[in-house]
Amino acid sequence: IAVVGTGPAGFYTAHHILSKCSDNMRINLDFFERLPAPFGLSRYGVAPDHPEVKNCEEYLENIMDNHKVRFLGNVNIGKDISLKQLESYYHSIVLSYGSTSADNKLQVAGSDLPGVISARQFVNWYNGHPDFYATGKKFVPPPLDQIEDVTIIGNGNVALDVARILLADPATHWSKTDISVDALQVLQNSTVKNVNIVARRGLLESAFSNKEIRELFELSNENSIKFIPLDDKEFENIDIKSLGRVDKRKVSIIEKYTKASHTAPAADRTWSLQYLKSPKAFLPHASNAKLLSATEVVKNELIHDPLTNTAKVRPTSESETIKNELVILSIGYQGSPLLGFEENGILFEKNRLFNKHEEEHNSVYKKGWYTSGWIKNGPKGVIATTMMDSFDTADKVLEDLSNGIHLETSGGDIHDLLKDKTVVGWDNWKVLDAYEKSKGEKEGKSRYKICNSEDMIKIACN
């Protein structure tokens, strides 16, 4: 079995396959990872101040220590090895390489200005993703030492992570985490004083989890940060009794901290939740091409749809201008198809992969191919959601293998195709892992991430 991607979707799928397979089924499993380090979104997506979330990495570590499994890092499927070649070596192939290679776009005037960046870029930068530290292609972060006001478009958990990065004290909050050293230095010189979190829908439609918003409020209590209270009218039309437990708790948390913020003292930094606003135009700075001057937003209203019993957004004729030098778009990610399946489109049904043929108005099952995680469902859900979906994929793999449904292999070892490639094995990764932890301990950090792929390979393999 080949598993492409070693983030949570990949290692949860593998763990379930290996733990649930029958006693008479002998499984040999290879992980393929494009980067020199494993763990995917856990290493490069989870906020540096959420180390407990990264405990899921123990699943992969346990697999590597207790099963006949190989890790092939620094191997790019679709480039170093074609999909056709992969098919000839494995009975089953699971695609679990995530959905964070590109960004959703806004068709808004000024969205291509340098002062508008994506949350994906910002997150990958502060988490030390090698794609953003590549030699000659290093991401240039926004000049936070020239910025006072930041607007984040979108209010999901990633948006709140970004807000914490910008607001929390680098010395007391971030310096001991595994945040990239480059990012820490930039944050130490930051002059950001205010963060606006703007959403096109209403309070009840907030995309963040209760845990995340509570954490941002508590950060305000511990630091010189003040939440700008919501207008009381935001709560007037909410029928608390009709809400479910999660939404009821969400409203309660926001209302509690809104009331407390009315009497809170002034602070060095502020932040706000702004609802029912959509960006209309991003306005350039008069004298600095790297910055914006403001964002023009249109005010929305919620219209109840009786057919679906949901609230829909409708723009009004009212607009306003929000002062900001930087905008960070947190409106979702897109995945990239592996070469070979994108010609006619990809369908996923019950975690199996189908190739769609429009001219025949039907779909052909790609025997032995499966999907797991965000590349199947899109970039949504927390790690626990991914785990349950991955277990379902594993069940489908085992079901098909038990019924003799699989690819026909030609034998041999996939390493035969990689003789001219520096493959980072698990033992190599453990060398890099130990180096990062040791250097981190000397620097007073939980881990000193090596961010450049070439440097990672040198440490791991030499």
Side-chain angles (χ1 to χ4, degrees):
I1 297 175
V3 176
V4 182
T6 59
F11 59 68
Y12 279 135
T13 301
H15 179 272
H16 200 69
I17 289 172
L18 293 165
S19 62
K20 296 297 181 180
C21 67
S22 61
D23 292 338
N24 62 351
M25 186 182 293
R26 183 170 57 88
I27 299 291
N28 297 308
L29 189 145
D30 286 348
F31 284 108
F32 291 90
E33 173 57 57
R34 180 177 65 87
L35 299 174
F39 304 127
L41 197 68
S42 176
R43 178 175 166 98
Y44 296 116
V46 173
D49 58 347
H50 285 171
E52 74 286 351
V53 179
K54 300 186 182 188
N55 290 338
C56 64
E57 295 173 4
E58 293 175 359
Y59 272 80
L60 180 54
E61 292 170 345
N62 291 334
I63 289 170
M64 300 305 303
D65 291 340
N66 298 301
H67 294 276
K68 192 171 182 180
V69 177
R70 298 188 300 185
F71 172 78
L72 289 83
N74 194 41
V75 177
N76 193 347
I77 297 300
K79 188 174 181 180
D80 297 322
I81 297 174
S82 71
L83 299 187
K84 188 172 182 62
Q85 288 173 319
L86 200 64
E87 279 190 320
S88 65
Y89 283 88
Y90 297 95
H91 295 103
S92 307
I93 300 168
V94 180
L95 303 179
S96 56
Y97 56 91
S99 182
T100 58
S101 61
D103 305 295
N104 289 334
K105 302 292 185 182
L106 277 181
Q107 301 302 317
V108 172
S111 59
D112 57 348
L113 290 171
V116 181
I117 66 171
S118 72
R120 179 183 67 92
Q121 292 173 305
F122 196 68
V123 169
N124 282 326
W125 166 69
Y126 68 66
N127 272 331
H129 195 294
D131 288 354
F132 290 77
Y133 288 82
T135 304
K137 299 179 181 178
K138 191 172 180 180
F139 173 71
V140 178
L144 296 182
D145 58 346
Q146 303 173 37
I147 293 170
E148 290 191 352
D149 295 275
V150 179
T151 294
I152 302 171
I153 305 296
N155 67 3
N157 287 344
V158 173
L160 269 58
D161 286 345
V162 170
R164 283 201 321 283
I165 288 284
L166 293 168
L167 291 167
D169 186 337
T172 60
H173 194 85
W174 299 118
S175 63
K176 295 180 181 180
T177 71
D178 67 353
I179 193 170
S180 82
V181 174
D182 283 18
L184 184 60
Q185 290 174 346
V186 171
L187 291 171
Q188 286 170 339
N189 295 319
S190 171
T191 54
V192 172
K193 293 183 178 180
N194 177 56
V195 175
N196 314 295
I197 303 172
V198 175
R200 68 186 182 90
R201 297 184 295 175
L203 188 153
L204 285 179
E205 291 77 35
S206 297
F208 49 71
S209 68
N210 290 347
K211 176 182 178 295
E212 287 278 342
I213 191 62
R214 187 188 303 111
E215 188 174 1
L216 188 52
F217 280 126
E218 289 173 352
L219 179 72
S220 301
N221 284 346
E222 298 167 6
N223 296 262
S224 184
I225 304 169
K226 182 175 181 179
F227 172 60
I228 300 174
L230 287 171
D231 194 306
D232 290 340
K233 69 179 181 181
E234 295 282 358
F235 304 96
E236 288 176 357
N237 297 322
I238 296 177
D239 181 7
I240 292 290
K241 293 181 180 179
S242 68
L243 301 179
R245 181 180 60 84
V246 174
D247 284 340
K248 192 176 294 184
R249 181 62 180 147
K250 182 175 293 184
V251 173
S252 173
I253 292 169
I254 297 173
E255 191 169 25
K256 170 188 172 183
Y257 284 99
T258 291
K259 290 178 179 177
S261 61
H262 281 297
T263 57
D268 296 334
R269 284 152 288 163
T270 59
W271 66 281
S272 65
L273 293 170
Q274 301 190 29
Y275 291 103
L276 294 173
K277 296 176 182 178
S278 295
K280 186 178 179 182
F282 302 116
L283 310 178
H285 196 280
S287 58
N288 191 331
K290 295 180 181 179
L291 306 179
L292 302 176
S293 62
T295 296
E296 186 180 351
V297 297
V298 60
K299 293 184 178 182
N300 302 320
E301 60 182 355
L302 288 177
I303 305 298
H304 181 72
D305 184 346
L307 294 177
T308 61
N309 196 30
T310 58
K312 294 189 175 182
V313 172
R314 184 171 67 186
T316 69
S317 58
E318 295 183 66
S319 63
E320 68 175 77
T321 300
I322 300 174
K323 176 183 176 296
N324 55 238
E325 294 83 34
L326 173 68
V327 164
I328 300 177
L329 303 178
S330 186
I331 55 173
Y333 307 134
Q334 295 178 5
S336 61
L338 286 169
L339 296 176
F341 289 135
E342 69 271 27
E343 291 182 6
N344 298 309
I346 301 176
L347 292 179
F348 306 116
E349 184 177 315
K350 295 182 179 178
N351 299 78
R352 297 179 175 95
L353 189 147
F354 288 72
N355 212 6
K356 185 179 179 183
H357 297 277
E358 294 289 354
E359 67 278 5
E360 299 173 9
H361 301 288
N362 62 11
S363 303
V364 179
Y365 170 46
K366 297 290 293 185
K367 182 174 68 174
W369 287 85
Y370 307 85
T371 58
S372 178
W374 281 11
I375 194 59
K376 167 182 172 276
N377 301 312
K380 58 185 179 182
V382 295
I383 287 179
T385 310
T386 297
M387 178 177 69
M388 299 310 298
D389 178 76
S390 300
F391 288 175
D392 187 49
T393 296
D395 288 338
K396 299 299 184 296
V397 173
L398 292 172
E399 178 187 329
D400 285 354
L401 287 174
S402 297
N403 292 322
I405 301 171
H406 55 73
L407 295 163
E408 299 300 325
T409 68
S410 58
D413 192 317
I414 197 75
H415 274 285
D416 295 339
L417 302 179
L418 298 166
K419 292 177 180 177
D420 298 326
K421 180 75 176 178
T422 302
V423 178
V424 176
W426 189 253
D427 288 342
N428 302 123
W429 154 247
K430 295 303 287 184
V431 171
L432 176 59
D433 181 43
Y435 178 91
E436 290 186 337
K437 288 177 178 176
S438 175
K439 190 172 176 63
E441 186 176 357
K442 294 175 184 176
E443 300 282 339
K445 296 169 62 67
S446 59
R447 176 186 294 272
Y448 186 106
K449 274 185 185 172
I450 306 302
C451 304
N452 179 277
S453 286
E454 295 172 6
D455 294 338
M456 294 169 76
I457 293 167
K458 285 178 183 177
I459 294 169
C461 299
N462 292 336

